[in-house]
Each structure stands twice: as C-alpha cells, then as structure tokens.
Amino acid sequence: MAKDQLEVLRALDIAKTQLYHFTAIVIAGMGFFTDAYDLFCISLVTKLLGRIYYTVPGSAKPGSLPPNVAAAVNGVALVGTLAGQLFFGWLGDRMGRKRVYGLTLLIMVTCSVASGLSLGSQPKVVMATLCFFRFWLGFGIGGDYPLSATIMSEYANKKTRGAFIAAVFAMQGTGILAGGIVAIVVSAIFDKQFPAPAYAVDAKASLPPQTDLLLRSFRMITECAIFYPYNWRMKMPETALVEKNAARAAADMSKVLHKEIKAETEMVEKLTAEPSNSFGLFSKKFLKRHGLHLLGTTSTWFLLYIAFYSQNLFQKDIFTAIGWIPPSQTMSASEEVFKIARAQTLIALCSTVPGYWFTVAFIDIIGRWAIQMMGFFFMTVFMFAIAFPYKYWSQKENRIGFVIMYALTFFFANFGPNSTTFIVPAEIFPARLRSTCHGISAASGKAGAIIGAFGFLYAAQNQDASKTDHGYPPGIGVKNSLIMLGVINFIGMLFTFLVPEPNGRSLEEISGENDGDVEEETKVPQNGNNRSMPV
C-alpha cells in the first residue's frame, strides 16, 4: 500500500456515492454515445449511399459501394479515432483533463453536423466530404476515450470505481439504441410519406428523390444532443492533482464533496520530487513496473476489436447470408433501412445493452480480470458453435437459433472484454501517465478494429465469384471468417493473464505511486479475483 496518501485522494477514495458521480457519468459518456450511434448508423448509411450513387441502370440488384469506397467510409473514422486517442491521451497528461475535454466535444458536434450535410451531389464529392468530416469526427471521439476514462476513475471512490467507469462506457448502449430508434422511426415515416415499390418491381421508383434526406437525417438527428453537456464539461473541476496544484485540487474537491479538505502543499511537493513519481513512459523503470501491464492492455484490446468490429460493422451481411433480412432487390430503399435497423436493434436490446449493464452490476463484485477472462472464453465458445455447423444454422428452420447464438457473443463481449479493456487502463498506470497509457491502449484497439473491418469486408465474401458483392473478389466465406474470429478470441483469453486486478484498491496503491523505490515481488494469482501486481 502507498506509504503516504494525500487527504484529497483519501477523501475521494472513501466518498459515498453522490449526485456528482451520476452527473460525471452522463457528461463523460456522451462521447461514447456518439461513437456507438455513429457505428450503428454507418451500416445503414453505406446501404443508402450505394443505392443512391452506385446503382447501375438495368442491374438486377441495387447498387452498393465499391470496395475502395466502402473501405474509406468505414475506415476513415477509425483512423481518426486512433489518432485522437494518441494525441488527446498525451495532451490530457500534459495540460490536464479539463482543458482539452471541451475541445473534443466541440469537434464531435461540428463534424457530426458537417458529415450529415456531406456537401455536393456527385458521388466523388459526396464521398470525399463525408470521409473528411468522418475523420475529424473520429478524432474528437478518440479524445473522449482516455479523457473520460481517467476523469471518471479519478472522481470515483475505490469501492465503486469499476461500476462508475463501466457506466460511462455503457453509454455506448444508449447510443446504439438511439441510433436504432431513430433509423426505425425515420424510415417508417419516410416509407409512409413516400411509398415506393421493391427494386425488382420498379428499380427507379424504389429510390425516390427524397431518399437523400433520409440519408442525411441519420447523420444529424440525435447527435446534435451531444452539444447539451458542453457547459457542464466546462464547469467540471480538474481531477485531483493532475496539475500538481494542491490548493486548487483541495478547493475543487471540497466543492464537489461538500467537505473541507486541507491543501497539503508541502506533501505534494515532496511526493512530486520522489524518483518513483518522476519516471517517464520510455524509461527502464516504467518498463519494469508497467511494461507487461501495457502489453496486456494493448494486446487484449487489439484482439478484441478485430472480432468485435467485424461483427458490428457487418451484422447486416450476416443476417442477409442466413436469410433473416430479405435480398435487397425485394425491398425499396426505405424498407431495407427499416428491416436492417430492426434486426440490429433487436440484437442490441437482447444482448449488447444487457451486457454493458451486467458489467456495471458485477464488476466490483467479481473483478475485472474474471469478467474479461469469462467474456473471451464464451465469445470463443459461441463463435465456434456458430462457425463449425454453419451449414446447419443457415437452414431456414434453424435461423432463430443462429440469431440467439450470435446475440450471445455480443452479450459476452460487453459483459466481458469490451468493457474491461476500457476500464483497466484507467486504473493501473500512474496519474501523470494515465491518460497517455489509456490512449495507447485504446489506439491499439482501434488498430484491431481497422484490421477487423477491412479484413472481414473481403474475407466474408462468398468463395463463389458469381455470388460475391459487386466489385469484390471471392473470399473465404462467412463460416471460415467466423472460425478465424473464434481463434482470435481464444488468443485474447491467453493475453488476459498479463492484465492485473485493480478491484477494491486505490489508484495510488495500484500504480505504485508514493511507494518510493520499494519493489514487491510479482505473485502468481491462484484465481482472477485475488491477483496482485508488481509495483
């Protein structure tokens, strides 16, 4: 345990749950709301973009985005997010969390609206402007990952810290549901106001001129709501001692906790001067203390997102492959949007969103390590259970069973590594490097997402060249792609052994801050709930 703990930090560790905790959850969670809303809607947007701009007159099927365009639209936001995670993670440790927190939200709001406008009417112009603003939207979203996680970890008490950080991340579930509800409602209204036949009946009439408005509304409705918490973000106090200003930290936390806290300026100066509180990210001491931890957080997040984003971005393709969503030529544009949104929202309601809140409920009871290990294990089991008998699941009478199995992989992703990979990096690193290390871990995850999104886009194509999507070469098929994802989940389970258990301990105790040069031996855990870590 840390030999000295400042009163302001001790007060935060033992504070009872108060209104400011829940306010912080909402404020910090809006970035994840936007991230999930964007992720949900982009699959619908790409369907509409394909119909509007790439339908070939006389073709038997509606148009779809060419491979290079689809890769750009799907990937550019992921690249922007990766860049934002690294940049704002570093900036959050250099300038303080609060100073850059409002900036990320302004970027998200501006680029969300701009990407909805997607200037121009020619395909190349529309795609270029859409990709430009989606990059910067991703850049702002990326900044929210390290900042929101570290702010919530530094505000919370040690007994419920995991639940509070998990609740911030669970705002993704709210964003997914918001995206689904908006898509269902808007497409239903649109279909009623501008009824259209199926593409196979009348190709031109299946795509009314007003469809472009349907496309733009997805990008702008609801996302504008994220501007509301901007004023709250600007009023949030800087988390304790990020600026090493004892007087300001004590004053700010006194207001938050409604109790008098002594500044302890001399102790802050003393602790700041200690060698154990001054080593850098690229030092031998960091490598010795936290090198394996950083490898654990980066590798597990990277592996998870290869599988997770593959599944998320291409749910519609999997549902189409098993016949749960009719062929696109049998529907009008608005009808196709409605049915895809309905299917994805059903999966979210039954598995994705409950998974987030199961984590919130149990993370401080059974611990982060156990939940992550369990999640990877069951994701592997269900992925293999879907993949190997894939021919059986693709038969019409077994499709409901397929959807249930597929939904369970999402449930254990969220009641598992999708939540814990976000939580743990905000707890185990020193305060002066916490935001940076979280940003590095998150960026590693987005690198996995890029590989997963692009790889699955091509890999899941049918092995028969005559049955692939327009413009795509033959792939290895959905079955073999799912087997690959199962193997990746299993490898993620193995790398989880590098991740320490921070449950029930103060941030200073976990990271080894204030311990001087004392080194403890690494203890091999007997189980996931009683893991100790080298400090």
Side-chain angles (χ1 to χ4, degrees):
M1 185 166 178
K3 63 182 182 181
D4 294 307
Q5 189 179 32
L6 294 163
E7 183 180 346
V8 63
L9 300 177
R10 188 165 54 251
L12 284 167
D13 275 339
I14 63 174
K16 294 181 179 179
T17 300
Q18 301 178 31
L19 178 62
Y20 83 88
H21 286 116
F22 298 104
T23 303
I25 288 170
V26 174
I27 297 171
M30 290 312 295
F32 301 102
F33 175 95
T34 306
D35 188 18
Y37 182 90
D38 176 76
L39 180 64
F40 184 98
C41 286
I42 195 59
S43 63
L44 307 176
V45 167
T46 55
K47 278 288 185 183
L48 287 175
L49 287 171
R51 280 189 179 248
I52 294 171
Y53 296 109
Y54 293 94
T55 295
V56 178
S59 174
K61 294 181 180 180
S64 60
L65 296 184
N68 60 326
V69 177
V73 172
N74 284 317
V76 71
L78 297 178
V79 174
T81 303
L82 188 155
Q85 288 164 337
L86 292 173
F87 177 73
F88 286 110
W90 169 81
L91 201 63
D93 284 332
R94 302 285 78 76
M95 297 179 60
R97 323 310 189 208
K98 178 183 175 180
R99 291 186 182 182
V100 295
Y101 206 29
L103 177 60
T104 62
L105 187 62
L106 282 176
I107 292 173
M108 283 189 283
V109 172
T110 303
C111 294
S112 175
V113 173
S115 66
L117 295 173
S118 58
L119 309 175
S121 58
Q122 297 301 311
K124 288 185 178 180
V125 177
V126 171
M127 297 304 164
T129 55
L130 177 63
C131 287
F132 176 82
F133 289 117
R134 275 182 59 74
F135 173 86
W136 290 107
L137 172 63
F139 190 71
I141 289 172
D144 249 44
Y145 272 75
L147 294 172
S148 293
T150 53
I151 283 174
M152 199 67 245
S153 71
E154 291 164 353
Y155 269 172
N157 62 62
K158 63 182 179 181
K159 289 185 178 180
T160 58
R161 184 178 59 239
F164 286 142
I165 305 174
V168 169
F169 197 60
M171 288 291 287
Q172 281 192 336
T174 307
I176 290 170
L177 290 181
I181 292 168
V182 167
I184 290 169
V185 171
V186 172
S187 59
I189 293 173
F190 185 90
D191 196 44
K192 187 175 181 179
Q193 293 295 319
F194 308 102
Y199 180 89
V201 175
D202 189 333
K204 186 175 181 180
S206 72
L207 189 70
Q210 297 85 354
T211 304
D212 189 58
L213 296 176
L214 177 64
L215 170 68
R216 296 175 191 273
S217 66
F218 290 152
R219 303 296 309 134
M220 299 174 69
I221 295 176
T222 304
E223 291 200 33
C224 295
I226 66 174
F227 187 76
Y228 179 67
Y230 177 77
N231 188 48
W232 285 357
R233 284 198 177 192
M234 293 297 92
K235 292 181 178 179
M236 290 178 73
E238 183 60 87
T239 50
L241 297 174
V242 171
E243 297 176 324
K244 298 183 176 62
N245 187 325
R248 178 179 295 178
D252 286 344
M253 291 303 114
S254 293
K255 293 178 182 178
V256 168
L257 299 174
H258 304 293
K259 62 180 291 186
E260 190 65 31
I261 298 175
K262 189 168 68 172
E264 299 180 294
T265 302
E266 290 183 7
M267 186 178 291
V268 170
E269 293 175 353
K270 175 186 173 184
L271 292 174
T272 302
E274 287 190 3
S276 62
N277 287 330
S278 59
F279 60 82
L281 179 65
F282 300 104
S283 66
K284 290 183 179 179
K285 181 155 291 218
F286 178 87
L287 182 64
K288 185 176 182 180
R289 286 193 175 192
H290 300 293
L292 286 178
H293 300 158
L294 188 58
L295 175 60
T297 58
T298 53
S299 60
T300 52
W301 211 335
F302 173 80
L303 293 164
L304 166 73
Y305 268 19
I306 292 177
F308 189 73
Y309 268 73
S310 297
Q311 292 172 260
N312 257 309
L313 286 174
F314 304 104
Q315 283 187 54
K316 66 183 189 304
D317 299 313
I318 291 173
F319 291 151
T320 299
I322 64 165
W324 215 47
I325 296 175
S328 58
Q329 61 266 31
T330 66
M331 299 178 284
S332 66
S334 56
E335 185 182 3
E336 183 176 26
V337 167
F338 178 85
K339 289 187 175 180
I340 293 173
R342 185 179 60 183
Q344 293 185 179
T345 303
L346 180 62
I347 291 292
L349 279 171
C350 296
S351 63
T352 306
V353 174
Y356 284 117
W357 291 102
F358 265 67
T359 301
V360 174
F362 291 105
I363 192 165
D364 290 313
I365 299 173
I366 63 177
R368 290 74 160 146
W369 190 89
I371 288 177
Q372 182 161 312
M373 182 64 73
M374 175 193 67
F376 269 129
F377 173 78
F378 282 112
M379 287 173 71
T380 304
V381 169
F382 287 117
M383 197 66 73
F384 285 152
I386 291 171
F388 287 111
Y390 182 73
K391 187 175 181 180
Y392 169 84
W393 293 119
S394 62
Q395 295 172 9
K396 188 174 182 180
E397 62 271 19
N398 301 321
R399 288 169 182 169
I400 297 300
F402 177 95
V403 172
I404 292 172
M405 298 282 281
Y406 189 69
L408 284 170
T409 64
F410 277 99
F411 175 80
F412 283 105
N414 291 300
F415 185 33
N418 191 40
S419 296
T420 55
T421 51
F422 173 79
I423 295 165
V424 172
E427 299 180 295
I428 64 176
F429 298 108
R432 67 189 179 282
L433 299 172
R434 188 171 293 139
S435 180
T436 300
C437 290
H438 193 285
I440 292 171
S441 301
S444 177
K446 277 298 181 284
I450 293 168
I451 293 172
F454 292 166
F456 199 85
L457 189 67
Y458 287 89
Q461 294 297 318
N462 199 292
Q463 292 173 298
D464 184 346
S466 65
K467 297 180 180 180
T468 62
D469 291 338
H470 179 70
Y472 287 87
I476 61 175
V478 174
K479 174 181 177 176
N480 292 328
S481 298
L482 292 174
I483 292 173
M484 287 179 59
L485 296 182
V487 172
I488 289 169
N489 288 328
F490 178 76
I491 297 171
M493 185 169 60
L494 298 180
F495 273 96
T496 296
F497 283 99
L498 297 177
V499 178
E501 176 57 79
N503 192 26
R505 306 164 72 189
S506 72
L507 296 177
E508 295 72 46
E509 181 184 356
I510 297 165
S511 65
E513 292 177 278
N514 310 343
D515 277 355
D517 293 319
V518 177
E519 300 289 345
E520 296 180 4
E521 295 182 358
T522 305
K523 299 178 182 179
V524 179
Q526 298 301 313
N527 58 62
N529 295 327
N530 297 303
R531 297 201 63 171
S532 61
M533 55 179 281
V535 293

